[in-house]
Amino acid sequence: MNGGENMHELSLMESVVKQLRASAAENDIKKITRVLLVVGKMTMAVPDALQFAFEVLQKEDELLKGAVLEIREEPVRCECKDCGHLYEAPNYEFLCPSCSGPNVKIVGGRELYIDFYEGD
Amino acid sequence: MVKVRLATPVLQENNEVARENRECFRKHGIFVLNLMSSPGSGKTSALERTIGHLAGRLRMGVIEGDIYTTKDAERIETHGVPVVQINTAGSCHLDARMIRPALEDFDLDALDLLIVENVGNLVCPAEFDLGEDARAAVLSVTEGNDKPMKYPLVFRQSEAVLINKVDLLPYTDCDISQLEKDLKLINPELQLFQVSARLDEGFGPWIEWLQKKVQEKKAELGTTVMKITAADAAPGQGGAVPEESAAPGE
């Protein structure tokens, strides 16, 4: 892919930083040390690019300087609405492998949220 | 040390604005389509053909997303439909917040269908809800068979895919039946339309599908598509649309 992908993660990471900033102000936290971000495999956010964007954004930032970003990836998980079969779909198999039905709902892999952060 | 649990979606802010946009579209009875594709798939050409076929049938508006230029908007303008350009100034996708000010430039009560042509990119636009009613993707046969599996999200979230440039099939290695199979695997509900924007072929079923979607929304809201008078019809279009046979291969 081209540079567009980085721009995309940068704008996502700007939202992350905005949420962190707002929450830190609310909780009277002056320094964030660790952030856990949950990223589903079926989001279009690439962990390496997120990590890079975070490094760019934290550089000149008193609140975030030195903070460690951890990313937990969540697999693509599906549930068949016809037979109830639950399965992981790393290659996007959205036809149920058990009953071959098309009535499959994505129940995991679309996550993109800050689980928690730590700070002082 | 303090640990703070957040668990709010990163895209929450965008999703909230998207919800407001959606409410605005409902109020004015407009069906909104978010059109996505990679650069060079023929998205603008397909849109131009769509405008031509819908002239005299639906009152249409277009939002053109582009990183820097106004080239696409200029093309759309020649078809006589209201068009608003959004330059994302470097950003590779449109988001809900960019849509809102653009809406002020339309007479919203005079529209049945608003098509938002997203920035050419199969990756990021898929993540950003704009408040649309449906998404459609354009995928050209020259891009190769592997695109659906490489960028599944955009196809999973679309209701329809225009498979463009089918006139070039003999000159490519694209296995169109495999391509369609992969698309259906990602999204069994997908409506597939084989078209050639260059030759203006195969658009009949797509136009029918679009009209059906607009009518369904109007019915849900208890309104109807207003009869278009000759004065409203796009200049140069004449409103006449040749009836078309089914898409090739379908």
Side-chain angles (χ1 to χ4, degrees):
Chain A
M1 275 307 292
N2 52 30
E5 206 162 312
N6 282 334
M7 291 190 283
H8 157 63
E9 272 84 359
L10 189 59
S11 75
L12 288 177
M13 203 38 89
E14 277 166 354
S15 301
V16 168
V17 168
K18 207 166 155 186
Q19 285 185 9
L20 288 173
R21 217 182 287 288
S23 174
E26 258 173 47
N27 292 289
D28 200 26
I29 289 168
K30 302 275 178 279
K31 196 121 194 78
I32 289 177
T33 49
R34 181 178 168 220
V35 180
L36 181 68
L37 192 65
V38 179
V39 180
K41 289 263 199 193
M42 206 179 169
T43 64
M44 293 286 113
V46 179
D48 279 352
L50 288 170
Q51 198 65 256
F52 176 72
F54 185 72
E55 282 165 24
V56 171
L57 291 172
Q58 75 180 152
K59 248 181 202 146
E60 305 292 324
D61 192 292
E62 276 311 305
L63 180 68
L64 291 167
K65 218 177 211 168
V68 176
L69 174 69
E70 287 171 29
I71 293 174
R72 187 177 82 223
E73 287 193 89
E74 291 289 338
V76 182
R77 280 178 293 111
C78 295
E79 181 183 0
C80 177
K81 289 285 151 199
D82 292 329
C83 75
H85 184 55
L86 275 166
Y87 64 98
E88 284 192 15
N91 298 310
Y92 316 115
E93 303 89 351
F94 298 128
L95 285 175
C96 176
S98 177
C99 75
S100 305
N103 198 7
V104 165
K105 200 171 176 269
I106 299 172
V107 294
R110 294 283 299 126
E111 302 83 352
L112 189 57
Y113 64 90
I114 305 165
D115 188 12
F116 67 81
Y117 66 91
E118 294 172 351
D120 299 297
Chain B
M1 203 256 319
V2 189
K3 182 168 174 171
V4 182
R5 221 161 249 293
L6 279 180
T8 42
V10 171
L11 290 168
Q12 179 165 279
E13 204 181 337
N14 182 73
N15 296 343
E16 274 163 18
V17 180
R19 202 159 31 235
E20 289 167 22
N21 290 349
R22 193 163 277 123
E23 192 42 51
C24 169
F25 298 141
R26 268 182 74 84
K27 207 172 83 195
H28 295 280
I30 307 169
F31 180 85
V32 181
L33 183 79
N34 181 358
L35 190 63
M36 300 179 287
S37 84
S38 52
S41 65
K43 190 160 31 71
T44 309
S45 300
L47 180 55
E48 288 183 277
R49 293 302 187 190
T50 301
I51 293 168
H53 286 278
L54 283 174
R57 297 190 188 189
L58 290 178
R59 300 167 307 164
M60 222 183 128
V62 172
I63 290 179
E64 272 295 337
D66 195 281
I67 298 182
Y68 293 114
T69 78
T70 55
K71 286 187 194 311
D72 289 348
E74 285 160 19
R75 278 169 65 182
I76 299 301
E77 214 161 28
T78 63
H79 297 272
V81 298
V83 55
V84 173
Q85 172 82 43
I86 300 177
N87 280 126
T88 60
S91 178
C92 48
H93 58 269
L94 291 173
D95 65 37
R97 193 172 295 278
M98 298 176 193
I99 298 295
R100 200 161 37 180
L103 297 180
E104 287 166 17
D105 293 329
F106 287 104
D107 177 2
L108 292 175
D109 287 323
L111 292 182
D112 302 309
L113 169 66
L114 178 64
I115 296 187
V116 182
E117 183 178 340
N118 218 311
V119 178
N121 186 335
L122 281 178
V123 184
C124 340
E127 284 293 351
F128 293 84
D129 184 4
L130 307 178
E132 70 272 16
D133 295 284
R135 295 174 170 192
V138 181
L139 179 67
S140 59
V141 298
T142 52
E143 291 168 61
N145 274 15
D146 57 345
K147 292 301 168 292
M149 286 306 180
K150 274 178 120 163
Y151 306 100
L153 187 61
V154 61
F155 300 106
R156 177 71 187 187
Q157 294 186 333
S158 292
E159 289 184 33
V161 173
L162 284 167
I163 302 176
N164 192 23
K165 306 190 189 179
V166 290
D167 52 314
L168 298 181
L169 263 178
Y171 310 104
T172 71
D173 295 326
C174 178
D175 177 349
I176 199 158
S177 59
Q178 185 62 45
L179 182 72
E180 293 194 329
K181 234 164 88 186
D182 288 349
L183 285 166
K184 288 279 194 183
L185 196 68
I186 290 166
N187 183 355
E189 310 282 312
L190 262 186
Q191 300 287 318
L192 302 178
F193 304 101
Q194 296 186 12
V195 299
S196 163
R198 189 173 73 92
L199 301 177
D200 196 12
E201 280 174 3
F203 281 89
W206 157 251
I207 296 299
E208 269 172 41
W209 179 83
L210 260 181
Q211 285 184 292
K212 199 177 108 229
K213 296 300 282 187
V214 173
Q215 276 152 7
E216 278 171 6
K217 179 159 185 184
K218 296 265 184 190
E220 189 194 310
L221 296 172
T223 56
T224 50
V225 174
M226 223 185 290
K227 194 101 191 103
I228 300 177
T229 61
D232 292 334
Q237 298 296 329
V241 180
E243 286 309 317
E244 251 183 293
S245 54
E250 282 267 290

